[in-house]
C-alpha cells in the first residue's frame, strides 16, 4: 500500500515541476548507485560482514545529509 502512495506522490511531484523532478531523480539514482557500489566493494573486495556494511552505509547517509546541510547554508 505504501508503495502505491509513494508512486502517487512521485506522479504529483512530476506534474507540478517536471524539470526539477528529473534532476532530483538523476541525483537520487546517482547517490543510490554510489551506495550500492560502496556496499559491493566492501563485501567482495574487503570481505566485510553484512552488519558492518549496513552500518557503513548508514554512516555514509548521515554524512551525506550533514554535507548537504552545510552546503545549503
Amino acid at each position: 500500500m505504501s508503495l502505491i502512495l509513494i508512486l502517487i506522490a512521485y506522479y504529483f511531484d512530476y506534474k507540478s515541476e517536471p524539470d526539477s523532478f528529473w534532476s532530483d531523480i538523476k541525483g537520487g539514482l546517482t547517490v543510490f548507485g554510489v551506495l550500492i557500489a560502496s556496499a559491493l566493494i566492501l563485501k567482495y573486495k574487503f570481505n566485510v560482514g553484512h552488519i558492518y556494511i549496513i552500518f557503513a552505509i548508514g554512516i555514509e547517509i548521515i554524512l551525506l545529509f550533514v554535507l548537504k546541510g552545510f552546503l545549503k547554508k
Side-chain angles (χ1 to χ4, degrees), residues 4 28 35:
I4 293 171
L35 291 176

Side-chain angles (χ1 to χ4, degrees), residues 20-64:
S20 68
F21 173 80
W22 287 114
S23 67
D24 290 345
I25 288 290
K26 288 177 189 174
L29 289 176
T30 302
V31 170
F32 179 73
V34 168
L35 291 176
I36 291 296
S38 173
L40 291 174
I41 290 169
L42 287 172
K43 178 64 181 164
Y44 296 111
K45 180 74 174 173
F46 299 112
N47 199 20
V48 176
H50 288 71
I51 193 72
Y52 294 116
I53 293 173
I54 292 169
F55 287 144
I57 290 180
I59 291 170
E60 289 174 6
I61 290 171
I62 291 169
L63 290 174
L64 183 68

